[in-house]
Each structure stands twice: as structure tokens, then as C-alpha cells.
Amino acid sequence: MEAIQVSVPRIHPLDDYLRTDRLPHTLCPGCGIGIALNAFLRAVSELVGEGRLDRKNVLFVGGIGCTARTSMYTMFDSAHVTHGRAIPFATGARLANPNIIPVVFSGDGDLAGIGGNHLIHAARRNMDLLVVVINNMTYGLTGGQLSPTTPTGHYTTTTPYGNPERPFNLIPLVAAAGGNYVARASITQPEVMKSYFKKALLKEGFRLIEVVSTCPENYGRHLGYKSPSDFYLKIKGVVKMRSGVKPWDVKYDWNSEITIGEFVDRNEPGFSRLLHEQVRKVMAGEN
Amino acid sequence: MRTEIILAGKGGQGILLAGYLIGYSVAKFTNYQVSSTEEYGAETRGTDSKMDIVISDEEIDFIGAERADVAIFMFKDQAAKYSRLVRDGATVMIDSTLVDASTLPASWRVIDLPFTELAEKGLGTPRVANMVMLGAFTTLGLVPLDALESAVREVVSPRWVDLNLKALRLGVEEASRKAVNPLTR
Amino acid sequence: MRGVSVGYLTGNQAVAEGAMAAGLKFYAGYPITPASDLFEYLSEKLPKRGGIVYQGEDEIASIVAAIGASWSGAKAMTATSGPGFSLMAESIGLAAMTETPVVVAVNMRTGPSTGIATTPGQGDVMQSRWLSHGHYPVVVYAPTGVQDSFDLTIKAFNVAEALRVPAIILSDAAIAHGREKVMMRSDVPVVSRKKPTPGSKYLPYEAGDDLVPPMAAFGEGFNVLVESLQHDERGYYVPTSHAFEKLVTRLNRKVDDNRKMIVESRVYGEENADVLLVAFGSYARVARGAARRAREEGFRVRVFVPISIWPLDEEGLRREASRAGSVVVMENNLGQLYREVQRVVRDRDVGFLPLLKVELPTPTEALRSLRGMVRA
């Protein structure tokens, strides 16, 4: 079969970090994931430009979901694995090769729902992972069902009478489990988000960045937002940037405040380093 | 030639270590094949502890003992419980401190020695009764004494090696004395 | 003998030794009876050789970490038993779909569900083949003892690496915890995955005539794309019939076309026997004991032992079946290997002897049951 050659002109400064031959992507117009991916790739691009990051060591992993699908487009070593399993996959990859810099880029359902146990244990171990949770508060890819971060009372396709559950507030959850860095950003402040990515990419140990995002198509509609910008403006209004706030005082309340900012920033040795140091000692007969 | 051995007692008597040492000696220091399986209760002490050992000069088919040629019983309950797995005419060693020889089938060739008492009186602790038994076991000709001694040196924690080797030799002496005692049936 | 070390090991220890001899660099496990002692043994030994041992938060985390580690270039494995193996279902499919070499040692215990943790079972023959959804390739070996546990673990690694498939060592509690003399050669043949040429244009799922694509590791600059969705040579999601047929056919043909490299079986006992007794794993040892006892009674039993369970040595089985008076399958379930033997030996009736036990039946018991169903 003769392959059809399509030449895609380089028109975006981040094209180098994308499998441009796959574009256009499958995300809906107005989706917040693109803003987050853009901020992330700019962070990587800047660090690479500054000579502080070797892109060939970046491993970009997603499980299943709209956000996870970004792994299909990123021009790194990338993995698009099974639902909820991005964290253990990235964990194994990093433990087997400590030069790898794994980034798990996935959604709230993938990471806090089906993969929730992996999330808290990776944090507990201070496993060397940057985990980015794009929190659009729903299972967008499957049509907008209830997620572990859907606010109480919200209408989704599986809570047509309103969500009777309480949502996870991921910041205190992950801060309590452990980890070196815990922050929450919002798609409404992409420059701040990028600065978090840049900082977190260079740290060892477990790092969580939650990104408050939108899903205008499969979620916003049920909430009565007529256009993506309505949803965006709602987020913009509800997020409050705070510094010096303890993780357990961080709010996740759709009706009053979703606190954003950096809440944990430590430099404890990562699990990968500790484990490899132990192996080295065992081999040298020191342990 | 296939030899099936059953070694049984209660948990805490060092049955599994004794069985391990037999298997280890055969595997490491002879040209024979050896297989063993263990059975033990969840509790470390007081429950059944049983090991099947098969020694053969050819590839071993079934890994367990169903008609044991040799049995070693260190406690009365297990002697009663597992006697059905011992063939007529088998050679059976018992710890006569804890097993009453008169209760055993007449078809067996019984070697009764008070392993526990010997260990207690000769070495100051009943805990090496299993080693005294192993010493006596070597006189059956299935496992050479030097092989078992080497196994003890490699397997047992260094601080217990001397005591265990003494216990082995005590067992050899006592069994040899017994063998020439005309009162032995 | 030079280059051979003699051990007196349990099946679990022999699997661990075999794995290390094959080049194991990453083990991830989760405690479960009767596989925990394999994990414990490697926890002590593997770091001494520079390997990593990791305890996941569950069996899913463990096998997925092994798959991730494999993509970082490490020979990787995990071990488990029934309940844990069930949890690994999706990940076996992930390994098969992404063509990730990984070895899973499964020690069968009594099922279903949590069943009996400590006693040997044989109820997972079908599970070992069809654990995950979709039509995927997997290779399964069933050791019959400690020597096999060592040898077949090496073989499982070699096949997994050569074909980029998950390989399973399907053992059971009796073998895992039984101890036997084992001869461990230091110069075992070791196969490692084929790698792409550095600097070449690389498509992670583009295979040549051998159907097995070279495998780049993370961090080597190839921009690998590991894709669990249906994909083309580039790893791009393509939801079409054409791509589906092409991918699934190639994935499964990797095993089908390489049967010669994979399959193994053994026969014991005299030819022209009254009965060909087919048994695997620990029951193969029972069957061989029964054949010995049968000989004493002038009853001729030949034992066929499949060593590779998936795929079976179909030719060998058909040949042996054609020569015996009758064919009987004996296993510790209600008919799993039996179905496969029936499929292979199509031209004659196959008898079935289910011995449902929580301990190994004795050869005498097995022989009594066999004689009850076969008139010699």
C-alpha cells in the first residue's frame, strides 16, 4: 500500500512536542485540557531551552479518559495504558531506570476513582512521579457520569436527580498521604499553572498538581452552562489563589471557594533514590 | 531404588529442620535424588509436623510417601496418626521418651531410643533431641554421617553447630550400642 | 560438574533462581499464599545482583509496575496465586496488546474465590489462557517439580523476550512448597528482546517476517508510544476492521508460528500401553507414581505430561494417543485440560478422571480410580 504523505507545516512553537501527524485531536471545543497541556508543554520547552531538562528522559503516561488521551499526541516516550494504571506503570518504569522522569497526566476519574489506591500509595512512598490531575469533575470520555470529584448536588448522566455524594478534596487527601509537592492550579490562570509545572518537573519524590478544568460538552450542559465560556467564567469566579494555607484548610466547594495555590513544598528524598541507594549498599555488602 | 521416609512429631520438636538436613545432605553430598514435602499446622508449636522424604538413585516420580520404608516418630500422637502410611516390615525409629514401643504394629522393625532423654541428660537440653535422632538415623545407611555433619555446618546457625554435631555423634553412639544389644527386638 | 550448582530448593526458590539466571532485573509482588515465599526469597537475593524488588499496593499495581519496568528495558516478573491472578486480568491483556515481555509465576491453590490458601489446586488451566478479554496470545508452562521450576522459568523468560508476549509459569502449592534436589547450570541460554538500531526511524509495532517488532526502551530517544488501544505500526489508535484483523492476527500468530520453539511435553513408561494417562503439574508426579504401581500389577500405563499447557504439544499428544489402548486425562478440576485434550485427540473417546483433592492423591488412590474406569 502506498503511504499518503501529508506534510504539516510547523505553525506552533510547541509542535516539536506533539505528534503533529495525528492532529487534529479529539478534544471538544472549549475543553480545558488543551490549556493544561499547553502550559505543561511550555514548561517542558522552557526547561529544555534552559538546559535543565533532558526531554529524552521524560515519560508521559496516561490511563483512560479524555486527559489520558493526551499521551497519544505528546512527542515523548509516551504510554496510554489501562484505566487507572498510569501511576503503577510509571512507577515501574522509573524504578527500573532512575533516569526516567515520569509524568502522569490524567483525569480525576482515572487517578482519584479507579486509580485512587495507587494515588495515595504513590504519595505515601514519595514515589518519584509528577502526577497531574486534570479535574473536570466528570467522566467526560464516557459521556459525563459522576466522578469522585463531582460536587454534591450536581447533575450528571448517572445522577440525574443530583449527586447525593460528597466529593474528594484531593489536596488534603494527597497531603495527608505524603509527597513532596502538592498544588492546585486552574485553567483560568495558565501562567501560574506553568510555573507550578516548571517547579515540580525539577523536584524528586511525589508531586501532585491538580488542575481545575472544564468539560463544557458532557458536564457543563447538565449544569446549565450554555457555552464553554460560561463554564470557564464560573471556574474563574470560584477559584481563589491563596498562599500560606495549610492543606487541610484548602477548600473544594463549588458554591463558595476552590482554593488554588501551593500547599506542600518539601525536598525529602524520593523513593526511587532511597531504593537504588539501598540496592547499591546491598551490592557493596554495606547493608 | 526408591526409599520413602516419613518423619513426624509435634510442632516445636525440630522435625522440619531435621527433615531439611536429611534432604540437604542427600542433595548436596550424594549422587541420589531427593524430594520432600512438608505438612504443618498454622501454629508453630504443638500441632502435627510431618515431612515425607523420598530418596532414589533415579528420577523421583511421586514426591510423597504412601508406603514408607522408613519412619521416624518423635511423638505418640503422630505415630498413631501416620502409621497407616508405613508399610509392613518398615524400619521405624521412635523417641521412646515420648512414644510407647508396645503400641506399634508388630510387623515393624522398631529402633527405640529415648532421644529426648538422651539430649537432656547428655547435652543439657531436650531441644537437640532431633539431632540425636539424626545421628541414630545415619546408622540405617541411607545418609552418611559426614554428609549430615557437613549439612549441619552449612545450614545451622554457627553458634549452635558444635552442640548439634555433639548431638549427632551421641545419636550415632547410642544407636550403635542399641544395635548390638541382644534385647532389641 | 563444572558450571552447575546443586540446590535443595522449594519450587518457589527454584523459580526465583531460574528468573535470576535468565536475567531478572525487576520483581514486583504482593503477598499471597503460596507465592509470598518466592517474593521473600527474591527480596533478599535480587538486590545483591543489582535488581529491584518492589511491593505494590495490590496485585494490579505489581504487574503493571513490572510492565512499566519492562519498557524501561528490564526483564521483569511478578508472582501470585488465584485471587491475585484474577486481579491481574486486565494487565495480562495490556502486556499482550502492548507486546511487553513479562513473566508471571502463578501458584495454583484451591479455588474458587479465596478457597483454601495453602493447598494445591489445578483449577486455573483455562484462566491461565483466557484470563483477560479479547483474543490475545500468552504462553503457559506447567512445571512438574523443582527442576522444572528452574528450567521452565528460564524458558518462560526466553520466550517472553523473543516473542514479546506475557509468559506464565503455572505451578501449584505442592510444587511451590515441595523441596527437591535441583541442578542449576550457570551457562543457561538467555534470550533478550530484539532492539531497534540506534538512530533509525522506529515504529514500535512494525514487525518483519518474524512478526516480532524490535523493542526500544524508554529513555533511548525513540519517542516510543505504548498503546493499549487498538493500534497500527506507529502505535496510533485505529478503530477499523482492517487494523483489528491485522493486529490481532499478528499478535496471535507470534505464538502459533513459533510453536516449535515453545511446546514441550514428556512421556514416561512403556509403549503400546493399556492406557495413556495425561496429567500435568504435580498430578504428573502422581500419574508417574501410579504407572509404577500399575507395572507391579501388570497393568501398562504410559504417562503423557504436557509441559507447555498453552500451547499444547498437539502432535506429540496425537501420536501418543494413537498408540495406547485408551486415553484418560487426570486433573484436579472438573475438566479443563480434558477439554483441550478432547479437542486435540478428535478421533477417539477420551476418558476423564477428576480427582478433586486438597492434597496430592497417592499413586495408589489414582491407580485405583483409573482401574475403576479402564478395563485392561
Side-chain angles (χ1 to χ4, degrees):
Chain A
M1 196 182 74
E2 190 86 1
I4 301 161
Q5 296 293 324
V6 180
S7 92
V8 181
R10 296 195 164 233
I11 50 173
H12 193 282
L14 293 173
D15 276 353
D16 218 24
Y17 290 93
L18 293 169
R19 297 176 196 267
T20 48
D21 58 338
R22 298 195 82 170
L23 299 177
H25 57 70
T26 55
L27 299 172
C28 308
C31 172
I33 293 169
I35 299 171
L37 182 64
N38 179 290
F40 175 77
L41 293 178
R42 280 193 293 131
V44 170
S45 165
E46 288 178 20
L47 289 174
V48 169
E50 293 158 16
R52 298 159 82 194
L53 184 68
D54 184 351
R55 70 178 281 185
K56 110 173 151 21
N57 289 330
V58 174
L59 169 64
F60 193 94
V61 188
I64 293 294
C66 291
T67 307
R69 284 198 167 206
T70 54
S71 59
M72 296 163 43
Y73 302 105
T74 51
M75 190 61 105
F76 299 109
D77 284 331
S78 306
H80 183 215
V81 297
T82 37
H83 198 15
R85 314 305 168 208
I87 285 177
F89 183 91
T91 297
R94 163 71 184 217
L95 291 179
N97 179 356
N99 294 322
I100 300 290
I101 300 163
V103 178
V104 170
F105 206 86
S106 213
D108 45 297
D110 196 54
L111 292 167
I114 190 168
N117 200 34
H118 306 312
L119 177 73
I120 57 176
H121 285 278
R124 171 181 64 78
R125 289 186 187 100
N126 202 20
M127 177 62 210
D128 303 75
L129 302 174
L130 167 56
V131 175
V132 180
V133 185
I134 306 299
N135 180 11
N136 61 9
M137 305 165 207
T138 193
Y139 284 82
L141 187 67
T142 45
Q145 295 83 9
L146 178 73
S147 114
T149 54
T150 308
T152 308
H154 279 201
Y155 297 99
T156 71
T157 55
T158 52
T159 52
Y161 308 111
N163 173 21
E165 294 190 13
R166 294 184 295 181
F168 255 147
N169 184 350
L170 294 178
I171 300 302
L173 173 79
V174 174
N180 267 353
Y181 184 77
V182 180
R184 182 185 278 150
S186 163
I187 56 155
T188 54
Q189 275 125 302
E191 279 302 314
V192 173
M193 179 174 19
K194 186 193 76 180
S195 72
Y196 292 176
F197 286 142
K198 280 187 80 170
K199 185 172 188 176
L201 273 164
L202 298 177
K203 288 173 78 78
E204 66 175 294
F206 188 82
R207 294 142 281 155
L208 176 103
I209 299 174
E210 178 187 344
V211 178
V212 182
S213 185
T214 60
C215 174
E217 192 63 32
N218 281 336
Y219 182 50
R221 281 191 298 125
H222 302 290
L223 299 178
Y225 299 115
K226 295 227 163 25
S227 83
S229 57
D230 290 348
F231 199 164
Y232 180 89
L233 290 171
K234 162 65 193 182
I235 299 283
K236 193 170 181 179
V238 79
V239 298
K240 301 278 187 308
M241 167 79 99
R242 296 192 192 279
S243 58
V245 178
K246 297 273 184 253
W248 43 90
D249 292 327
V250 168
K251 293 198 168 61
Y252 185 72
D253 185 341
W254 183 257
N255 298 315
S256 62
E257 171 180 332
I258 297 177
T259 318
I260 60 172
E262 296 169 291
F263 309 109
V264 175
D265 189 358
R266 291 185 288 236
N267 286 304
E268 288 172 15
F271 173 61
S272 169
R273 174 145 65 97
L274 294 176
L275 187 59
H276 280 269
E277 273 174 14
Q278 188 181 61
V279 169
R280 192 189 50 71
K281 279 187 185 164
V282 170
M283 287 180 82
E286 294 165 24
N287 192 331
Chain B
M1 187 33 199
R2 172 189 170 97
T3 305
E4 295 183 357
I5 303 167
I6 285 177
L7 172 54
K10 59 176 180 169
Q13 285 190 298
I15 300 294
L16 301 184
L17 174 61
Y20 180 73
L21 286 168
I22 293 173
Y24 189 93
S25 328
V26 174
K28 292 270 194 175
F29 307 115
T30 77
N31 287 324
Y32 286 81
Q33 296 296 320
V34 60
S35 293
S36 62
T37 55
E38 298 171 3
E39 227 175 80
Y40 47 88
E43 304 85 356
T44 309
R45 292 177 199 287
T47 52
D48 291 341
S49 182
K50 173 189 167 241
M51 205 153 166
D52 292 4
I53 304 168
V54 182
I55 301 174
S56 177
D57 57 357
E58 55 194 5
E59 215 183 299
I60 291 166
D61 48 54
F62 182 57
I63 56 178
E66 58 166 337
R67 293 189 304 172
D69 307 288
V70 174
I72 302 160
F73 292 123
M74 298 294 282
F75 198 73
K76 58 182 184 341
D77 295 359
Q78 289 75 27
K81 182 172 177 181
Y82 298 116
S83 64
R84 67 190 162 84
L85 299 173
V86 181
R87 72 168 169 81
D88 291 347
T91 300
V92 178
M93 281 188 11
I94 58 164
D95 183 342
S96 57
T97 314
L98 300 166
V99 183
D100 179 358
S102 69
T103 62
L104 304 177
S107 74
W108 292 353
R109 180 181 155 249
V110 175
I111 300 168
D112 55 330
L113 281 164
F115 298 124
T116 302
E117 196 186 317
L118 287 168
E120 220 160 6
K121 289 191 175 154
L123 299 157
T125 169
R127 298 194 52 166
V128 289
N130 59 342
M131 295 293 156
V132 180
M133 175 276 287
L134 280 184
F137 173 75
T138 62
T139 64
L140 301 183
L142 286 165
V143 181
L145 176 64
D146 58 349
L148 256 176
E149 285 177 335
S150 304
V152 166
R153 286 192 196 94
E154 289 183 17
V155 169
V156 173
S157 154
R159 63 196 187 112
W160 300 115
V161 165
D162 282 346
L163 177 65
N164 282 326
L165 291 177
K166 273 186 204 152
L168 276 182
R169 280 170 214 135
L170 176 64
V172 176
E173 283 164 27
E174 292 294 329
S176 312
R177 190 176 320 167
K178 185 87 178 176
V180 296
N181 184 341
L183 293 179
T184 308
R185 60 170 178 170
Chain C
M1 267 182 285
R2 272 176 56 204
V4 177
S5 70
V6 180
Y8 174 53
L9 302 181
T10 64
N12 275 339
Q13 292 169 341
V15 168
E17 289 290 344
M20 289 189 286
L24 177 71
K25 281 288 173 291
F26 185 90
Y27 179 91
Y30 184 83
I32 188 168
T33 304
S36 296
D37 44 317
L38 196 168
F39 186 6
E40 291 163 354
Y41 188 82
L42 279 172
S43 299
E44 191 207 325
K45 305 270 182 187
L46 191 56
K48 291 180 179 169
R49 296 171 177 234
I52 291 291
V53 177
Y54 166 70
Q55 179 165 332
E57 50 275 13
D58 52 34
E59 284 88 348
I60 298 171
S62 299
I63 188 172
V64 175
I67 293 168
S70 186
W71 275 101
S72 275
K75 290 193 181 179
M77 88 178 281
T78 183
T80 189
S81 183
F85 195 37
S86 294
L87 283 179
M88 293 180 181
E90 65 175 3
S91 313
I92 293 288
L94 174 65
M97 186 63 148
T98 57
E99 301 184 65
T100 310
V102 65
V103 173
V104 183
V106 180
N107 293 335
M108 289 182 287
R109 58 191 233 185
T110 305
S113 195
T114 40
I116 305 172
T118 51
T119 58
Q122 290 197 319
D124 310 341
V125 178
M126 288 295 169
Q127 188 199 29
S128 71
R129 177 64 191 91
W130 300 115
L131 176 61
S132 197
H133 53 278
H135 203 117
Y136 65 95
V138 68
V139 172
V140 181
Y141 288 108
T144 68
V146 177
Q147 186 68 51
D148 279 349
S149 298
F150 178 78
D151 296 339
L152 293 177
T153 301
I154 296 167
K155 197 162 180 176
F157 269 94
N158 287 348
V159 168
E161 291 281 326
L163 302 183
R164 288 185 61 181
V165 292
I168 289 161
I169 303 150
L170 190 66
S171 187
D172 68 46
I175 295 165
H177 287 163
R179 231 177 242 285
E180 294 188 279
K181 181 174 187 168
V182 53
M183 312 293 274
M184 295 175 288
R185 283 174 47 198
S186 59
D187 61 339
V188 295
V190 170
V191 178
S192 296
R193 65 195 68 170
K194 188 168 57 177
K195 309 269 292 181
T197 322
S200 66
K201 182 170 157 39
Y202 173 61
L203 299 177
Y205 304 101
E206 184 182 52
D209 292 341
D210 67 349
L211 307 174
V212 185
M215 185 171 175
F218 293 150
E220 292 178 339
F222 284 99
N223 293 318
V224 174
L225 176 54
V226 179
E227 180 55 89
S228 163
L229 291 175
Q230 181 180 295
H231 50 263
D232 64 10
E233 291 73 11
R234 300 167 296 181
Y236 289 8
Y237 172 53
V238 183
T240 65
S241 293
H242 173 72
F244 166 65
E245 185 195 7
K246 190 172 175 189
L247 177 64
V248 171
T249 304
R250 180 178 65 77
L251 290 180
N252 288 280
R253 269 187 58 202
K254 285 195 296 184
V255 168
D256 295 339
D257 288 9
N258 286 291
R259 276 170 179 267
K260 277 211 163 56
M261 173 218 283
I262 299 166
V263 298
E264 188 175 334
S265 66
R266 293 183 205 137
V267 279
Y268 299 90
E270 53 209 303
E271 293 197 32
N272 305 315
D274 301 310
V275 183
L276 181 73
L277 184 57
V278 182
F280 76 98
S282 59
Y283 269 44
R285 306 294 287 270
V286 176
R288 290 170 56 196
R292 166 170 50 82
R293 301 294 315 278
R295 199 155 50 236
E296 295 162 11
E297 300 174 8
F299 179 48
R300 291 169 304 171
V301 176
R302 188 163 163 92
V303 180
F304 181 90
V305 180
I307 298 298
S308 59
I309 299 283
W310 300 104
L312 276 182
D313 174 9
E314 298 189 11
E315 271 175 50
L317 176 58
R318 260 195 293 274
R319 185 176 58 240
E320 291 298 330
S322 69
R323 293 173 183 170
S326 57
V327 180
V328 173
V329 179
M330 177 177 85
E331 56 185 332
N332 190 359
N333 59 53
L334 291 172
Q336 295 193 18
L337 180 65
Y338 172 54
R339 285 172 183 239
E340 195 56 9
V341 172
Q342 269 186 317
R343 183 187 65 78
V344 173
V345 186
R346 282 185 288 273
D347 55 344
R348 58 182 307 179
D349 285 340
V350 177
F352 182 51
L353 178 54
L355 290 180
L356 294 185
K357 302 279 181 189
V358 301
E359 70 284 321
L360 287 187
T362 63
T364 307
E365 278 180 272
L367 180 59
R368 196 186 310 125
S369 305
L370 183 65
R371 295 211 80 155
M373 63 185 297
V374 180
R375 300 274 161 255

